[in-house]
Amino acid sequence: MAKVHVTTTINGEPMEFLCEPDDTMLDALRGPLALTGSKEGCASGDCGACSITLDDRLVCSCLMLAVESEGHEIGTIEGMAQGEKLHPLQQKFLEMAALQCGICTSGMLVASDALLKKNPDPTEEEVRFWLAGNLCRCTGYDKIVRAVMETAAEMRAQ
Amino acid sequence: MNLVTNNKWIGQRTIRPDGMDKVTGRAQFAADTTMPGMIWGKVLRSPHPHARIRSIDTSKAEKLPGVKAVVTSKDIVDFPVEKGAVMLGIQDMRWMCRNVMARDKALFPGHPVAAVAATTEAIAAEACKLIEVDYEVLPWSIEIEDAIKPDAPILHEFNKFDGKPSNIVGRLEHKKGDIAEGFKKADVVIERTFTTRPVHQGYIEPHACLISVAPDGKTTIWSSSQGQFMVRAMTAYLTGIPQSDIRAIPAEIGGGFGGKTIVYLEPLATLLAKKSGRPVKMVMTREEVMRATGPTSGSKSTVKIGATKDGKIVAAHGTFYLQAGAFPGSPIRGAAGCSFTPYDIPNLLSEGFDVCSNRSKVAAYRAPGAPIGAYAVECVMDEVAEALKIDPLDFRARNAAKEGTKAAHGPTFPRIGYLETVEAVKNSPHYAAPLGDGNGKLRGRGVASGFWFNAGGESSAQVNITEDGNVVVTTGHPDIGGSRAGIANICAELLGIDYRRVSVIIGDTQTVGFSNLTGGSRVLFASSMVVTQSTEKIIQTLRERAAKIWEIDPEAVKWEQGAAHPVSPNAGQFEPLTLKELADKAPAMGGPIGAGVQLNTAGADGGFGTHVCDVEVDVDLGIARVIRYTAVQDVGRAIHPGYVEGQLQGGVAQGIGWALNEEYIYTKEGKVDNPGFLDYRMPVCSDLPMLDCIMVEIPNPKHPQGVKGVGEVPLVPVMAAVANAIYNAVGKRFYALPMSPPKVLEKLDEPTRQAAE
């Protein structure tokens, strides 16, 4: 099979890569693009560990073909901090111990960021339903939900 | 005990040393690693639950372009069954060498029969399809009831029970007093039988490894596990490579809960790398994880408890049958040894039976066995309390084990905090709060308690002072849930410096002394003991250095707030010498400053917890939801409260999943029918409420910082607490897990049964 050439934007940077026609976006990110922050927990869209944004819309990168990124904007965990400055969600996850093993953390942060962009003042129920596509087996979600709510409150105050 | 008081860092919610890497996506888990020249390994797995392997022909696979190596059981070191056990930790290598790859028989669907390495993952998968295996399909059994029938197909013909070939492969008992005499004194006796289904540990990171073998045999393993030394030893045993030639480098681990205390891929990838001369990467799919790793046992338990009118338990009998899967080794010790332990019971018999059947070999899962036993015991406790018309917490308090109580599994308890956990629940805002109106749904509240042994064991640490006066701590235990944060707090506290000056790393097998698995709630207990002793040695060195500079006696120097000071004005008038200043002067004043300690740690006393749970049951849909939960635990001393709470909350969430939804479902063909997250259905964020924690802190007197293990206990009481709450809501008892909607509906349609017979 001949490889396909894809031109896209990742975390604001123009990018080009080669992939198989049936490679997922997750394969491309973790393979030729060497962005391994997105994790593969299931490859079936059930765990959310590979969450990215496609033109600001939250998607599971395991459910999207790499070629579909042609001409679009992809956002991954690697683009969340600005240089040395963490995103407020990243900072709050650290301060509030909202991670244990850390394998779901990239996906949780990308999904939480997408939520707060859409809804800066979510209720606890809205946070819980929004993050229902991101499995975490370590934390019991309590600290994650609290961290997202607290970040939202701080971001609104600024 | 010499507890540090006025803590600056112990007990603080500091930022974990590995946190930045994990929130930015930089952390390297096993599947994130690559190497130049790397190829991919894939496993061919048995489609049958039970089949004799007559022959395997790999010639077509070997000829496929891109294929670099094929291995079968012939390439793996054999540990003959008849030559007796070869134990490595809790694993018997006779079973391990057959579990990583089937030898004469395939014993479960998903059992590896061959492995291939090829230039791409797709070619390796294609090559697996070209391997021809001649199977003689045999009858099989999955469930305990079927496996222990007299005419059941026998998995291991060599095994005898009561003189006959049997799938019962082990039995243990804990005994105290005389139960027949005890039950005679009882006014109320309740006996019930319970079943639980196998559940998977459900770590989000599938098993993965990357392995490079040089032509001289020097082997490097990058993998996620709960113990790099376990990986090294098992890989060495199964491949014949000496341990000294294997360097196992621990990647970050994406969850384990006991399920990564065993190897599946590493020996296969090592052999493929050795044969091909290329680094080999192997990553399981989720389906492979569900079919061929973990889970914990399904079970059938019978528990009988007798008590007098005044609420004293006089006798108890528990029989716990646990599925081992394809090879012996179910956690009967946890089920039989932990379940009655919160109570002081004069006459007790607790028996465990280990039963093989044609499903994947069970792996440890958070307090292995204990949640299964506690589910049965704590549900019967609830029924006895009800029959006696005593509040379930008062009933527990009246029978609580305390200092001086002799547990059936051996120890006489020192100061323990069980009663305090019961009292903390009783005094909690949760227990005082009314259940409230369920708006058409039925609400109920339940309580339950639990115990786990905890563990000590081997641990090594190295603490080094850097040239700029900072600190690097190296330990040998993978950090699965924040142990680095606890270690940083302790080391900074002892040295009197900011915790951010302490870097904590997990050493690989060739750079730090032997350290046993991360498991059994032992890591912070053990590692903080060796880190404390190493740091104390360093403080001694620092005092000696200052004494030398000041030309006074080392005994006249004290270490305080990160600097050497004269103990009193009599010792001389000197400006304090800080860690940084002493590090600066190190080259001229005795050289590098560092210390290492290796210990077989002891004194990890058991842990107790008591939980209270509120549920809401929709009687039309059969859906039970946990609406409020409080977990109380004696945590010894919370070195990092944030991660202690995280352990409690995480354990509770797993228990709620086990109670309400999670189970392995099998097809008529004996295959797992729900091998993915969608159908297996672990709790998601919207399934759970906030999970409250109350930490009772009764420091462990045998640990320099009062540490007790905390990770396992939180799972132990959960299923019983949920079941007792559902009973309280709907007035019907559940004797089988999970209490999923179809089963709740079915139960609601049953005629009511007497509470006590």
Side-chain angles (χ1 to χ4, degrees), chain B residues 49-50 95 105 107 139-171 321-330 332 352-359:
Chain B
H50 198 186
W95 318 141
K105 287 206 293 185
L107 293 166
W140 44 269
S141 52
I142 304 285
E143 304 300 337
I144 291 172
E145 291 82 352
D146 300 325
I148 61 176
K149 278 181 188 158
D151 59 345
I154 302 296
L155 275 74
H156 305 290
E157 288 84 355
F158 68 89
N159 178 69
K160 303 270 194 305
F161 191 79
D162 281 343
K164 289 189 287 271
S166 173
N167 290 323
I168 298 177
V169 290
R171 178 182 181 276
Y321 282 86
L322 266 59
Q323 286 173 331
F327 298 98
S330 69
I332 47 178
F353 293 90
D354 189 16
V355 182
C356 277
S357 64
N358 295 106
R359 31 173 308 238

Side-chain angles (χ1 to χ4, degrees), chain A residues 30 37 39-41 46 77 86 90 94 97 99-101 103 109 128 132 135 137-143 146, chain B residues 16 19 22-23 31-32 200-201 204 253-255 286 642-643 645-646 649-650 654 662 683 685 688-691:
Chain A
R30 295 180 54 81
K39 306 299 177 190
E40 179 167 318
D46 298 312
I77 184 66
L86 291 182
Q90 292 173 309
L94 286 180
L99 67 150
Q100 280 166 34
C101 80
I103 195 85
L109 285 165
R128 287 190 178 273
L135 286 175
R137 192 61 157 173
C138 293
T139 62
Y141 305 106
D142 183 299
K143 292 190 189 308
R146 288 180 201 276
Chain B
R16 59 194 282 169
K22 285 177 177 169
V23 298
D32 300 337
H200 198 272
Q201 295 79 351
I204 310 298
I253 169 170
R286 178 56 49 182
Y643 290 105
E645 289 164 355
Q649 292 165 334
Q654 289 183 317
E662 293 179 38
C685 199
L688 298 175
M690 293 297 189
L691 302 168

